[in-house]
Amino acid sequence: MISLKPRSILLISAIFRVGLILFGEWQDTHVEVRYTDVDYLVFSDAASLMASGQSPYKRTTYRYSPLLAFLLIPNSFTSRCWGKFLFSASDLFVGLFIRIILKQRKVPDDLCTYSMLIWLFNPFTFTIGTRGNCEPIVCAMILWIIICLNNGNVVQAAFWYGLIVHFRIYPIIYALPIIIFLDPCFFRSGTKPLLSDWTSDQGKARQINSELTDKCVVSDALKSTFTRSRILFGLISGTVFLLCTGFFFRLYGWEFLHEALLYHLTRTDPRHNFSIYFYHIYLNYERELSVLEKLISFLPQFIVQLVLILCFAKDLVFCFFVQTVAFVAFNKVITAQYFVWFFCLLPLILPWSNMKLKWKGLCCILLWMGAQTHWLLWGYLLEFKGKNVFLQLWMASLLFLAANTFILIVLIRHHNYGPVFRQHTDLKTTKTT
Amino acid sequence: MKSYFENYESLHDSSFEDFMAHQLSSSLCQGIPDNWNVGVRLSVRELSLVGEGSHRHLSSSIRLQIAAASIPKLPAHLCEVIVIQRLPLGVFADPFELQNPHKHKAFRDIAVFGDTNLELPSFQSNRSAVEFHIDAGFNILFMQNNGTEFNLLLPLHARYQPLDESGYSVVEIGEPDMLMRCSVEGKQHKQSCLFMSPPNEKAKSTSATVAWKIPAGMKAHAGFVSVITFVTALLSTLSIVYASMFLSGTKVSKT
């Protein structure tokens, strides 16, 4: 049993990250292979352009909101590491928010501690922020939205949601589950929703929770679709998104709209990446793909997202997690930084999983890492040895999708699904399988 | 190169050679009244590709030779060697990488002209060229020498190539174009002029190119890759849908 206090964990994590940032600076100066992510150089260049009154989009390959460049303006006049410290601080906030969310559901201290450690000492996640990648900011905002929703604070959740969709488009996939989540049975005017607490049974046998009754689902279906909470959430988040987008469009014009928004919606990259579609895109890049072909490649993503939302929306964090894993796995382009989108949600679902680390959990970890390493080996041969291994690399990406699918199914099977909220008049019945 | 791209939209060998032969002729040192009739010869001693894979370095060794005796009336001057490396369609140089002060401190200036898009495949991009300015020193024309050598190491990256049945695409990189520019303080303003090697020495032989073999996709793969990709996506979709609907802990019951 781990007896470390959360404050100590955060302090050790902070010191570790400061050390990594300083080491990274040394490595960049003395070693051929840089520690700093090439994206960080792009952000910094965009920030210095903005600081001198110019458009950040003069920096080629800057494809983010101007907000990011704005946050990194201090890079130009304080230290070029300012951004890394900011991202690492967000990284620490994610650890803190993980604990807050679990404590909201009365998860015991030891499980909370393990969950924090899974994020804060995951080699993938602590290198992300210290190398200068901005994803920890996104993760922190997503978790803060979850905290606000758990507290029934719809207005604040909506504000941050509008902002995060402007900042990074992918959280738009959470819109429908959030709307479903704002169930009028739980979100009533003037009353804070009641959270379902974690119980010790969660980690044992799987349970089937029968929360949905005739009253809430069937007879009030139409009346409950457009509720105050849902309308408020939609209006506020939509307004924030449009205000931010409109403001930056006014400042930077079509270049902003294309680089920060449209590029991500229409992006297809023929260059090798983890996606199963990369080779198909490359082989067909010289001709225009037909509407049917584009639809066929979009359909799996659409179907999976819809089914996951309809099945799991009431268990919002689990829904976010499975949606994100599926979204990344079926995307036309997959880069390693996307993995952090679901890594930040994984510690939040583990207390509700009856899968043990030994040996099923360990097998899943090894399978995922093995499939990734296998792909990386072929990628290395192609990119750094100049061997034509496109076919093998493509097959490795198929295997990677298969591994992701398998692990997702295993997690679904072992998850104790349960709506986050319970009714004030408690009608919950549980049956152990 | 800036002057070239003010007159032309993209880089073509014929346009560039025409530009060098005609547009720059008025700037040659032989033409100016002080008669800087000095034999300057710039040649490539060695050209090679260093490294493997999609990221390599083009190594060039440039020799500068000054012929004949000193010219007493020639004023004090400062010279720089200008090297223009034209790149073929299949490769590019990263302008941000070339700004790294640690690696390129020997150069007075480096710039990339033409298509600097780092992401597009070769069949959707245009050519580019890299221009180096190297300090040749003060009063170099007074010194008869056997040759000064400058070594250039240019980092290059391969673009995604057009499909090829063989699975590879060969890209050839030729010798760079070289000039020397000397400037002198005139009575009213700074004066500069260019030295270029005589035309008969500029003819490039085929042995003066380096070949880079870059992997390319094979058209023969197109059919089955597309089918298997979509079938795999479909199978994964069906598995996840089945698991979500029938293997998860969700169940709706009516009380």
Side-chain angles (χ1 to χ4, degrees):
Chain A
M1 193 109 124
I2 292 181
S3 58
L4 276 174
K5 288 186 181 165
R7 204 171 286 183
S8 310
I9 294 172
L10 288 169
L11 185 64
I12 294 167
S13 303
I15 293 168
F16 182 55
R17 279 155 177 76
V18 169
L20 271 178
I21 291 171
L22 296 173
F23 169 76
E25 290 299 296
W26 177 88
Q27 182 172 328
D28 286 352
T29 319
H30 295 89
V31 181
E32 180 77 30
V33 177
R34 298 178 67 100
Y35 181 80
T36 302
D37 195 323
V38 70
D39 275 349
Y40 188 71
L41 305 175
V42 175
F43 304 156
S44 301
D45 290 345
S48 38
L49 283 166
M50 196 186 237
S52 59
Q54 298 176 71
S55 167
Y57 299 102
K58 279 191 175 172
R59 181 37 164 112
T60 54
T61 72
Y62 181 74
R63 297 200 173 97
Y64 299 87
S65 164
L67 274 176
L68 179 60
F70 177 75
L71 288 173
L72 260 61
I73 283 177
N75 269 22
S76 308
F77 53 84
T78 55
S79 161
R80 65 184 178 192
C81 294
W82 156 260
K84 290 182 183 180
F85 284 111
L86 182 67
F87 302 149
S88 298
S90 304
D91 190 9
L92 296 173
F93 271 113
V94 171
L96 178 64
F97 292 165
I98 285 170
R99 181 177 171 78
I100 291 173
I101 291 168
L102 294 178
K103 274 296 169 199
Q104 283 179 322
R105 306 283 301 276
K106 310 272 192 302
V107 173
D109 276 338
D110 58 338
L111 283 180
C112 289
T113 303
Y114 283 126
S115 293
M116 283 179 80
L117 291 173
I118 284 168
W119 170 261
L120 290 170
F121 291 96
N122 181 337
F124 189 85
T125 56
F126 61 63
T127 52
I128 277 272
T130 54
R131 290 186 67 218
N133 194 290
C134 69
E135 302 299 346
I137 292 185
V138 180
C139 295
M141 286 166 79
I142 299 280
L143 264 56
W144 182 250
I145 290 165
I146 294 171
I147 292 171
C148 291
L149 287 171
N150 283 351
N151 282 334
N153 195 336
V154 175
V155 171
Q156 210 188 134
F159 171 80
W160 288 104
Y161 184 71
L163 194 62
I164 194 63
V165 173
H166 162 80
F167 193 81
R168 210 81 168 93
I169 312 295
Y170 89 88
I172 194 67
I173 63 173
Y174 303 147
L176 187 53
I178 291 175
I179 294 295
I180 295 173
F181 183 72
L182 295 174
D183 191 325
C185 291
F186 311 120
F187 279 83
R188 293 177 190 166
S189 183
T191 316
K192 190 178 167 178
L194 275 181
L195 288 164
S196 310
D197 297 342
W198 183 93
T199 63
S200 58
D201 294 337
Q202 302 285 356
K204 294 171 188 167
R206 221 172 53 147
Q207 303 169 346
I208 292 175
N209 290 295
S210 306
E211 279 275 346
L212 305 171
T213 65
D214 287 338
K215 269 190 191 171
C216 283
V217 174
V218 178
S219 61
D220 294 328
L222 279 173
K223 236 190 333 181
S224 64
T225 302
F226 297 101
T227 62
R228 185 179 171 274
S229 304
R230 286 170 173 163
I231 293 170
L232 203 61
F233 186 87
L235 276 177
I236 294 174
S237 57
T239 303
V240 170
F241 173 80
L242 288 171
L243 275 176
C244 291
T245 306
F247 175 69
F248 290 122
F249 179 71
R250 186 96 170 89
L251 286 180
Y252 303 116
W254 283 104
E255 204 175 15
F256 149 71
L257 211 59
H258 182 261
E259 297 290 345
L261 230 68
L262 300 175
Y263 170 81
H264 297 287
L265 294 174
T266 58
R267 183 182 181 186
T268 54
D269 198 337
R271 294 173 298 168
H272 56 284
N273 60 86
F274 290 108
S275 173
I276 59 169
Y277 295 106
F278 94 85
Y279 199 26
H280 160 76
I281 291 169
Y282 175 30
L283 292 170
N284 294 286
Y285 212 67
E286 288 181 79
R287 68 170 180 89
E288 182 74 26
L289 288 173
S290 68
V291 173
L292 183 65
E293 281 169 313
K294 287 180 186 172
L295 195 64
I296 291 173
S297 52
F298 176 65
L299 222 47
Q301 180 75 278
F302 178 76
I303 291 170
V304 165
Q305 290 296 315
L306 193 62
V307 169
L308 291 174
I309 290 168
L310 292 175
C311 289
F312 302 119
K314 298 281 167 115
D315 190 344
L316 190 69
V317 176
F318 185 70
C319 186
F320 278 11
F321 175 79
V322 292
Q323 272 191 275
T324 313
V325 171
F327 181 76
V328 172
F330 285 96
N331 208 23
K332 289 210 185 68
V333 178
I334 304 172
T335 60
Q337 68 188 74
Y338 296 176
F339 301 149
V340 84
W341 296 348
F342 54 77
F343 277 158
C344 67
L345 298 167
L346 179 64
L348 296 172
I349 66 158
L350 290 179
W352 279 266
S353 178
N354 61 24
M355 181 165 57
K356 301 290 173 215
L357 185 64
K358 284 182 185 178
W359 293 100
K360 225 169 208 171
L362 214 54
C363 283
C364 286
I365 293 169
L366 290 172
L367 176 67
W368 193 79
M369 287 173 59
Q372 210 184 130
T373 307
H374 174 240
W375 187 96
L376 288 169
L377 280 170
W378 292 112
Y380 172 78
L381 286 175
L382 173 68
E383 189 168 340
F384 296 100
K385 291 294 175 185
K387 306 284 181 207
N388 187 325
V389 292
F390 279 111
L391 213 54
Q392 294 90 323
L393 188 58
W394 164 70
M395 289 196 284
S397 66
L398 296 180
L399 276 174
F400 187 60
L401 174 66
N404 276 289
T405 303
F406 176 78
I407 292 166
L408 188 58
I409 290 169
V410 167
L411 284 168
I412 287 171
R413 285 199 64 190
H414 286 270
H415 181 74
N416 281 310
Y417 170 81
V420 172
F421 297 120
R422 55 191 166 87
Q423 290 184 296
H424 287 266
T425 307
D426 192 359
L427 298 173
K428 184 174 81 167
T429 59
T430 59
K431 186 168 76 176
T432 305
T433 55
Chain B
M1 288 308 294
K2 197 174 172 186
S3 308
Y4 172 84
F5 279 101
E6 280 167 3
N7 294 296
Y8 299 90
E9 253 187 47
S10 56
L11 180 61
H12 297 287
D13 286 339
S14 53
S15 311
F16 183 76
E17 280 155 17
D18 184 61
F19 171 81
M20 290 285 276
H22 298 107
Q23 303 280 94
L24 298 183
S25 59
S26 58
S27 306
L28 290 177
C29 297
Q30 283 84 347
I32 66 171
D34 288 346
N35 196 22
W36 290 33
N37 203 4
V38 181
V40 171
R41 190 163 174 270
L42 283 159
S43 58
V44 176
R45 199 176 66 79
E46 193 189 330
L47 188 71
S48 62
L49 261 181
V50 179
E52 291 180 291
S54 301
H55 313 284
R56 303 194 190 189
H57 288 81
L58 182 69
S59 173
S60 335
S61 185
I62 314 284
R63 173 173 273 165
L64 167 66
Q65 286 171 297
I66 313 286
S70 62
I71 297 106
K73 286 184 183 174
L74 206 61
H77 52 273
L78 178 64
C79 295
E80 63 176 1
V81 171
I82 301 173
V83 179
I84 299 170
Q85 180 66 60
R86 283 178 273 165
L87 300 176
L89 260 180
V91 299
F92 68 95
D94 184 344
F96 302 101
E97 186 179 11
L98 293 179
Q99 285 165 14
N100 187 326
H102 295 288
K103 285 185 180 172
H104 305 291
K105 53 191 169 193
F107 305 113
R108 192 181 281 175
D109 197 8
I110 314 175
V112 183
F113 296 90
D115 194 338
T116 54
N117 189 304
L118 310 178
E119 298 171 326
L120 287 176
S122 71
F123 41 89
Q124 287 193 340
S125 58
N126 293 308
R127 291 179 64 185
S128 57
V130 183
E131 185 172 318
F132 296 85
H133 288 232
I134 309 159
D135 198 353
F138 269 110
N139 299 333
I140 194 168
L141 297 174
F142 290 150
M143 300 172 237
Q144 183 182 354
N145 61 33
N146 291 327
T148 310
E149 276 198 15
F150 305 97
N151 295 310
L152 307 181
L153 203 61
L154 173 61
L156 294 177
H157 310 278
R159 293 191 185 279
Y160 258 52
Q161 301 298 303
L163 304 182
D164 193 290
E165 286 310 316
S166 68
Y168 290 91
S169 177
V170 178
V171 159
E172 289 193 349
I173 307 172
E175 281 186 357
D177 300 282
M178 295 160 289
L179 316 162
M180 189 164 78
R181 177 161 62 195
C182 294
S183 47
V184 63
E185 285 294 336
K187 287 176 187 133
Q188 286 166 343
H189 56 81
K190 212 169 185 175
Q191 213 178 1
S192 68
C193 62
L194 300 171
F195 287 99
M196 285 202 291
S197 291
N200 59 352
E201 290 187 20
K202 281 195 286 184
K204 297 180 177 51
S205 65
T206 50
S207 60
T209 61
V210 288
W212 187 344
K213 199 173 165 190
I214 303 168
M218 293 167 71
K219 220 170 251 179
H221 293 167
F224 73 83
V225 164
S226 299
V227 169
I228 295 174
T229 299
F230 291 127
V231 167
T232 307
L234 180 65
L235 288 174
S236 294
T237 304
L238 291 174
S239 309
I240 293 169
V241 166
Y242 179 81
S244 303
M245 291 176 72
F246 302 109
L247 301 180
S248 67
T250 55
K251 191 173 181 179
V252 176
S253 71
K254 294 181 182 179
T255 59

